[in-house]
Amino acid sequence: DSHKSLSANHIALLFIAQIRLFITMPPANQAAGMNDTPGITDWFNSLPLITRYWFGAAGGLTLAGNFGIVSPYKLIYDFPSVRGAFHVWRLLTSFLYVGSFSINTLMGLYMLYQFSKQYEGGGPYNTGGGGGTADYLFCLLFGMAGCLACFHLLGGFIPIAPLFTRNL
C-alpha cells in the first residue's frame, strides 16, 4: 500500500514539474523578440508581493493536499498538536489550505486573488503607515490572530471548521 502511494506521489510531483516546465518554456516557433505576449509567469510576477506569495502558497498547498502529497489533516489547525507536538506550521497552513477540489475551492482561490490584490494596492483609504503592502500585511496578521482567538472562544458554542482561508 505504501508502494502505491509512493508512486502516486511521484506521479503528482512529475505532473507539477511538467506544468512548471511548460509555463517557463517559450513556444518553439517563436523567434526571439517577436510576438512577445505576456504569459502566466509575467502575470504571476506582476501581482503585489503579499498577494503573490499568499496566492501561490494557497494554490500550492491546496494542490499538494488534493494530490495526496501532504495529508490535509496535517494542514488544519489543531491546538493540542501545536502545543504538545510543536506543529507550529499549523498556525499558518490553516490559512493557506483552501479545501478539496470543488467549485467552492476555485471561487475561494479567485476571491483570495482578487480581494488580496485590491486591498494590497492601497487605493483611496491608504493610512500612510508604510503603503498598501505594509498595511495589508498588518491587517492579515491581525485577522489571523483574531480568527485563532475566536476559534477558541466560540469553538465550544458553534461548530467551526479549523480552516480559516475563506474567513480572511
Side-chain angles (χ1 to χ4, degrees), residues 83-103:
R83 184 185 57 208
F86 205 62
H87 292 178
V88 292
W89 67 83
R90 292 176 184 260
L91 295 171
L92 182 64
T93 57
S94 61
F95 292 97
L96 297 175
Y97 180 68
V98 182
S100 62
F101 283 134
S102 68
I103 190 70

Side-chain angles (χ1 to χ4, degrees), residues 150-162:
C150 286
F151 180 76
H152 289 287
L153 294 174
L154 299 175
F157 303 110
I158 302 170
I160 304 172

Side-chain angles (χ1 to χ4, degrees), residues 51 55 108-120:
T51 303
F55 181 71
L109 280 170
Y110 175 73
M111 289 186 344
L112 184 149
Y113 154 73
Q114 190 64 34
F115 293 141
S116 181
K117 184 177 82 167
Q118 178 183 359
Y119 292 148
E120 191 173 359

Side-chain angles (χ1 to χ4, degrees), residues 2-77:
S2 64
H3 184 268
K4 288 181 183 178
S5 66
L6 183 64
S7 64
N9 290 343
H10 282 90
I11 291 171
L13 288 173
L14 287 173
F15 178 71
I16 291 170
Q18 288 291 1
I19 289 174
R20 185 171 182 210
L21 182 65
F22 176 73
I23 289 171
T24 57
M25 277 183 38
N29 60 355
Q30 180 179 348
M34 297 186 64
N35 294 329
D36 285 337
T37 57
I40 193 167
T41 55
D42 295 327
W43 165 79
F44 187 74
N45 290 330
S46 72
L47 294 176
L49 184 68
I50 304 298
T51 303
R52 183 181 334 140
Y53 285 110
W54 190 20
F55 181 71
L61 270 180
T62 301
L63 284 173
N66 283 298
F67 281 131
I69 297 170
V70 177
S71 171
Y73 297 108
K74 295 280 187 183
L75 303 174
I76 64 172
Y77 178 69

